[in-house]
Amino acid sequence: MQAIARSCPNIALIKYWGKRDTARNLPAVDSLSLTLDSLWTTMDVKFSPEILQDELIINDLQQNNEFSRVKNCLDMIAGKNRNFAKIKSSCNFPISAGLASSSSSFSALVIAANSALGKKWNTHLFANQASAISGSAARSLLGGIVELENISNGIKIQQLSKPNRWPLKVIIAITDTKEKVISSSKAMKLSARTSPFYASWIKDQTFDMREARAAVTDQDFEKLAVISEHNCLKMHSVMWTSRPSIVYWNSATIECMHTIRNLQKKGVPVFFTIDAGPQIKAICVPENEDLIEKSLSEIVGVRSIMKSDLGSGPSLDINI
Ligand code: DP6
């Protein structure tokens, strides 16, 4: 009745922002992402009749944050009459700071909980369960470059490119590790209700997905760069024009964007993306990794740099 799973966060290039069904947490748009390999979350889930209440420990500390989402996830997988569970999680990067920690956490939780109950691996089922808790989590169930597509009664994920077919690098400039001011879930609902740009954001996603998919097929870095930055800035425009306005960036975020734009002007193949937080993710090819790391680390306000290759997806470490 115990299993440990390890999963890595994914970084969306074509973003998910908005829900078509809030009760089932279904995304309003398709999305496309890179699964990382050097950032990770492990989830150790143990169900037992001897455990007297659910317990959640994250990085050795008892937690109440996210506890209800974790319990809902276990109820969905094991049923409401399940045994109580002890859940121990470790994460090697800042949580709830725009580094996609919910994608690694909830994908790992779904895998560990199903495995602890003796259920066999089922990517489609696990993706739909993960997505019901946190939309971005489904994409972490596969490695490399991953597409999430809306289908009539849920979502479908597929791998567009294996991790070493197109070995991109992701360099993350951490500009602040504080918890985000507003959760993605709340912010998305606000955007859908109040941003005058929300409808066109949804409408144009099909085009952006098509462009990005073609760029991945052809390994066309320039094309992927242009559509990814455009999609990211559109998502942030929707956030900025929500009422009240949702701004996740700080001044270092903007400095990092300028630095990346200057490198592009010099012909360096690199582009940025930003999620619901102030961190910048620079995507590049291996030859330029050191240059980009150095350029970003020199910016005032950049506290640290994390680097990652594309990863091969989650693993189930132990099944007791
Ligand atoms: C900006 O998956 O955290 O990172 O489904 O409400 O849990 P919920 O949202 P979440 O949103 C991620 C938003 C994003 C873009 C993306 O990853 O596609």
Side-chain angles (χ1 to χ4, degrees):
M1 296 297 270
Q2 181 174 12
I4 303 174
R6 177 179 159 129
S7 186
C8 296
N10 68 78
I11 303 299
L13 301 183
I14 305 300
K15 312 283 190 187
Y16 145 54
W17 195 253
K19 300 171 199 273
R20 74 175 197 270
D21 179 337
T22 40
R24 295 169 64 205
N25 201 45
L26 290 174
V29 286
D30 297 349
S31 54
L32 184 147
S33 59
L34 309 176
T35 299
L36 305 183
D37 85 334
S38 65
L39 283 67
W40 48 256
T41 302
T42 59
M43 278 282 171
D44 175 345
V45 177
K46 181 181 183 181
F47 292 101
S48 167
E50 279 148 37
I51 299 175
L52 301 179
Q53 58 180 11
D54 288 330
E55 196 184 345
L56 174 64
I57 295 164
I58 303 179
N59 292 338
D60 295 325
L61 295 173
Q62 201 103 20
Q63 289 288 331
N64 287 320
N65 266 7
E66 299 292 351
F67 203 7
S68 60
R69 280 218 283 181
V70 168
K71 285 188 200 185
N72 288 343
C73 182
L74 298 183
D75 289 350
M76 172 181 64
I77 293 167
K80 285 206 193 298
N81 295 326
R82 65 179 168 83
N83 286 324
F84 287 119
K86 183 165 182 178
I87 308 113
K88 274 195 290 178
S89 169
S90 316
C91 193
N92 75 340
F93 61 99
I95 296 173
S96 300
L99 287 168
S101 57
S102 63
S103 67
S104 51
S105 306
F106 288 107
S107 52
L109 183 65
V110 164
I111 298 164
N114 277 290
S115 307
L117 296 167
K119 298 189 186 168
K120 285 217 185 83
W121 189 286
N122 179 332
T123 304
H124 183 67
L125 175 69
F126 289 5
N128 276 277
Q129 289 176 339
S131 161
I133 303 296
S134 183
S136 57
R139 299 183 310 236
S140 280
L141 285 162
L142 296 173
I145 306 182
V146 178
E147 174 184 26
L148 183 150
E149 196 191 331
N150 276 294
I151 55 174
S152 63
N153 54 353
I155 55 118
K156 189 177 120 192
I157 53 165
Q158 67 166 318
Q159 186 180 56
L160 296 181
S161 184
K162 290 203 165 80
N164 38 20
R165 173 182 166 263
W166 196 11
L168 299 171
K169 296 271 179 187
V170 181
I171 317 235
I172 304 170
I174 314 270
T175 66
D176 198 344
T177 52
K178 279 202 296 293
E179 214 170 289
K180 60 181 84 158
V181 277
I182 173 169
S183 72
S184 308
S185 269
K186 280 192 189 142
M188 283 182 204
K189 284 179 202 157
L190 187 64
S191 291
R193 235 184 31 246
T194 61
S195 171
F197 300 151
Y198 184 76
S200 63
W201 156 255
I202 302 292
K203 186 171 83 43
D204 293 343
Q205 189 82 344
T206 313
F207 175 83
D208 294 6
M209 282 297 293
R210 200 181 312 128
E211 286 281 295
R213 221 182 284 116
V216 171
T217 305
D218 301 342
Q219 295 186 32
D220 184 336
F221 190 91
E222 174 66 18
K223 187 171 186 153
L224 189 62
V226 168
I227 197 64
S228 299
E229 286 191 358
H230 177 64
N231 187 269
C232 164
L233 294 173
K234 273 195 301 188
M235 178 184 77
H236 285 275
S237 306
V238 170
M239 294 170 176
W240 282 44
T241 51
S242 300
R243 290 180 173 211
S245 183
I246 306 155
V247 179
Y248 287 113
W249 303 354
N250 59 31
S251 52
T253 318
I254 297 174
E255 272 313 306
C256 289
M257 288 166 65
H258 285 309
T259 297
I260 290 170
R261 286 273 155 102
N262 285 335
L263 287 164
Q264 288 171 344
K265 276 188 204 134
K266 291 181 191 151
V268 179
V270 57
F271 66 91
F272 64 79
T273 190
I274 311 161
D275 292 294
Q279 335 302 353
I280 279 259
K281 289 106 185 187
I283 292 84
C284 65
V285 293
E287 298 85 282
N288 298 116
E289 187 183 3
D290 293 344
L291 169 68
I292 288 148
E293 178 181 8
K294 185 168 176 295
S295 309
L296 291 176
S297 64
E298 282 167 357
I299 296 169
V300 176
V302 170
R303 288 156 189 240
S304 61
I305 300 276
M306 297 185 92
K307 296 191 294 181
S308 185
D309 291 320
L310 301 194
S312 53
S315 58
L316 190 56
D317 293 336
I318 302 170
N319 199 347
I320 301 160

